[in-house]
């Protein structure tokens, strides 16, 4: 019996070491390269540690007696692995940015994410907003002026204000359409126009996207300067939000100044998203010249917030990785921007009677102003009385 107990103890002690040995495949027969077990593990969906490949790039130099060919004693596999993992000593004739990156190993996740989850969830966001607006229209209908129209108009926006708005809005619509064609066009336009036809459309979209971007950024600056002072939150915004702006019930008209709380939310979202999409757009317009994500991730990690969520952002990126992150962020922000603007377009056109006049002619019906922006109308009336200017009448 003592001998049996000793044997069992030895087996128990040996099991962990044996299991560890089995967990790490023996790659001596392949010189440290991929084994059949590695391939089978990937097919089973198991995670395989790639360090045995990234650290096995061989030597790119060999003694004279080992030089059997142009690469000496280094095999093709070792050269390709060194190129893939960025450890090869590469010399190129081109002197452009990132020209010495021959193989960009991390590019596949970008392709997969862009063609899969990014497009899928972006489509859900756009489709979901359209469905909500349709449902809102069917239930609430068009928001009409409740009181009797006066026949008098009030100047809502000056010509310069409307110019800034339409420059910003018009350029955004061109950018949105050309961007969506670039993202979805291969699936829908190639069957309609063929590959050559789609190539022409895609090239035109690229040219428009790159050049109209400057008009968008100029419009963003004008809109910000024109309206930032009018979009500072105040106590009236809380009352407006408490009743949902009267959008969901007839006869409810909370007081508001030139911009109500809903418009202020749209304004600040436009500024935030506009600045963000402009920065990533500039990074894409000038490839490899404006890397920003490695620094951004480093700042994020320094706050400790990612670690609280079980994340740690990478702080070391190759030039192509920077561009991939810039493009993905550009598309993510674009989807959020388009989703918000769809709702804004709805309320500013078919969703509310008289709303389009504000940006169409700059003049709005006085009763409309009284119902939706009563505090602002009082200010206008007070200013007119002070200046001795008569109220315009039809």
């Amino acid at each position: 019996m003592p001998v049996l107990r000793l044997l069992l103890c030895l087996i128990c002690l040996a099991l962990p070491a044996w299991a560890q040995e089995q967990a790490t495949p023996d790659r001596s027969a392949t010189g440290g390269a991929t084994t059949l077990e590695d391939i089978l593990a990937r097919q089973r969906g198991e995670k395989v540690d790639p360090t045995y490949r990234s650290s096995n790039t061989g030597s790119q130099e060999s003694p004279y007696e080992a030089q059997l060919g142009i690469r000496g004693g280094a095999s093709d596999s070792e050269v390709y692995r060194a190129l893939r993992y960025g450890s090869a000593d590469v010399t190129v004739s081109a002197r452009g940015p990132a020209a010495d990156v021959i193989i960009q190993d991390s590019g596949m996740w970008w392709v997969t994410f862009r063609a899969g989850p990014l497009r899928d969830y972006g489509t859900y966001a756009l489709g979901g907003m359209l469905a909500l607006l349709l449902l809102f229209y069917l239930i609430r209908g068009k928001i009409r002026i409740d009181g009797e129209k006066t026949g008098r108009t009030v100047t809502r926006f000056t010509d310069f204000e409307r110019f800034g708005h339409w420059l910003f809005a018009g350029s955004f619509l061109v950018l949105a359409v050309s961007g969506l064609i670039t993202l979805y066009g291969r699936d829908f336009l190639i069957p309609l126009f063929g590959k050559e036809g789609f190539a022409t459309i895609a090239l035109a979209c690229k040219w428009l996207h790159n050049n109209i971007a400057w008009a968008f950024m100029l419009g963003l600056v004008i809109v910000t300067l024109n309206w930032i002072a009018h979009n500072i939150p105040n106590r009236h915004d809380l009352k407006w939000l408490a009743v949902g702006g009267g959008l969901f019930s007839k006869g409810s008209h909370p007081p508001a100044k030139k911009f109500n709380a809903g418009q202020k939310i749209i304004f600040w979202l436009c500024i935030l998203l506009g600045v963000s999409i402009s920065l990533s757009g500039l990074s894409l317009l000038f490839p490899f010249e404006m890397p920003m994500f490695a620094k951004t991730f480093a700042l994020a990690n320094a706050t400790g917030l990612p670690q609280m969520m079980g994340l740690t952002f990478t702080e070391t990126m190759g030039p192509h990785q920077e561009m991939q992150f810039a493009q993905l962020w550009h598309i993510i922000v674009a989807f959020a921007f388009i989703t918000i603007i769809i709702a804004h377009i709805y309320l500013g056109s078919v969703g509310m009677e008289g709303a389009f006049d504000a940006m169409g002619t700059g003049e709005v019906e006085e009763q409309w102003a009284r119902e939706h922006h009563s505090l602002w109308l009082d200010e206008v009336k007070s200013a007119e009385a002070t200046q001795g200017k008569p109220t315009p009448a039809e």
Side-chain angles (χ1 to χ4, degrees):
M1 293 298 291
V3 176
L4 181 58
R5 290 196 187 97
L6 179 61
L7 183 59
L8 289 173
C9 290
L10 291 175
I11 292 174
C12 292
L13 291 172
L15 278 175
W18 177 82
Q20 179 66 29
E21 184 179 347
Q22 294 301 311
T24 305
D26 181 12
R27 300 190 179 93
S28 58
T30 61
T34 300
T35 65
L36 176 60
E37 180 56 35
D38 295 324
I39 297 173
L40 294 175
R42 287 196 183 92
Q43 292 177 347
R44 293 192 297 267
E46 300 173 6
K47 186 176 180 180
V48 177
D49 186 1
T51 54
Y52 74 91
R53 302 176 69 194
S54 60
S55 60
N56 185 29
T57 56
S59 173
Q60 305 308 305
E61 299 179 359
S62 57
Y64 178 79
E65 59 271 15
Q67 293 181 0
L68 306 177
I70 58 174
R71 282 180 292 276
S75 70
D76 287 341
S77 296
E78 290 171 338
V79 172
Y80 292 147
R81 281 199 298 273
L83 290 172
R84 175 180 178 182
Y85 293 106
S87 61
D89 184 12
V90 176
T91 302
V92 294
S93 58
R95 288 294 177 264
D100 57 348
V101 180
I102 309 301
I103 299 177
Q104 206 261 313
D105 182 61
S106 62
M108 289 310 299
W109 77 268
W110 167 76
V111 173
T112 304
F113 183 76
R114 182 180 182 274
L118 182 59
R119 291 205 327 175
D120 292 343
Y121 288 109
T123 304
Y124 297 153
L126 298 181
M129 177 56 74
L130 291 173
L132 285 174
L133 292 175
L134 177 60
L135 180 63
F136 179 79
Y137 182 80
L138 293 175
I139 296 175
R140 178 67 169 87
K142 188 169 187 174
I143 302 173
R144 299 192 177 277
I145 299 174
D146 289 331
E148 185 177 349
K149 295 181 181 179
T150 64
R152 297 185 296 272
T153 60
V154 181
T155 301
R156 177 92 171 119
F157 295 115
T158 65
D159 291 343
F160 185 68
E161 286 179 305
R162 289 187 293 121
F163 166 75
H165 172 270
W166 287 117
L167 179 65
F168 184 57
S171 59
F172 176 81
L173 292 177
V174 174
L175 292 171
V177 172
S178 58
L180 291 174
I181 289 176
T182 302
L183 187 62
Y184 294 100
R186 295 179 62 87
D187 297 336
F188 302 103
L189 297 183
I190 288 179
L192 294 176
F193 301 101
K195 294 183 177 179
E196 291 185 1
F198 172 69
T200 302
I201 295 172
L203 185 62
C205 287
K206 178 182 181 297
W207 187 91
L208 282 173
H209 207 85
N210 290 348
N211 290 280
I212 298 297
W214 302 108
F216 172 81
M217 287 184 274
L218 176 60
L220 176 63
V221 172
I222 295 175
V223 165
T224 303
L225 295 177
N226 277 340
W227 293 332
I228 191 169
H230 297 286
N231 280 277
I232 305 301
N234 57 57
R235 57 188 177 85
H236 302 291
D237 297 331
L238 297 176
K239 298 178 181 179
W240 193 95
L241 291 171
V243 296
L247 299 177
F248 302 96
S249 58
K250 294 182 179 180
S252 176
H253 302 293
K257 291 196 173 186
K258 185 166 186 174
F259 295 103
N260 58 45
Q263 292 169 326
K264 290 178 180 179
I265 292 172
I266 294 293
F267 174 83
W268 288 111
L269 285 175
C270 284
I271 300 304
L272 178 63
L273 297 176
V275 170
S276 182
I277 205 169
S278 296
L279 290 174
S280 59
L282 287 170
S283 180
L284 295 170
L285 283 170
F286 301 98
F288 311 113
E289 299 293 337
M290 294 180 60
M292 60 183 70
F293 280 88
K295 296 178 181 178
T296 302
F297 288 166
L299 291 174
N301 287 334
T303 65
L305 294 177
Q307 292 83 344
M308 292 173 61
M309 295 182 289
L311 302 172
T312 300
F313 296 136
T314 179
E315 299 179 12
T316 303
M317 294 185 192
H320 293 82
Q321 287 177 292
E322 282 279 359
M323 298 305 301
Q324 287 157 3
F325 274 104
Q327 200 225 34
L328 292 181
W329 182 250
H330 196 73
I331 299 174
I332 291 170
V333 174
F335 272 128
F337 215 154
I338 295 171
T339 302
I340 293 167
I341 294 302
I342 288 174
H344 178 65
I345 292 174
Y346 167 78
L347 285 175
S349 56
V350 299
M352 178 181 291
E353 181 184 8
F356 184 78
D357 295 336
M359 278 301 166
T361 64
E363 303 287 323
V364 294
E365 161 64 40
E366 186 176 299
Q367 182 60 27
W368 181 92
R370 189 173 305 282
E371 292 181 5
H372 297 290
H373 299 275
S374 59
L375 299 176
W376 167 75
L377 180 62
D378 291 341
E379 291 176 352
V380 171
K381 292 289 186 180
S382 176
E384 289 177 350
T386 302
Q387 297 172 4
K389 180 179 177 182
T391 303
E394 293 292 333

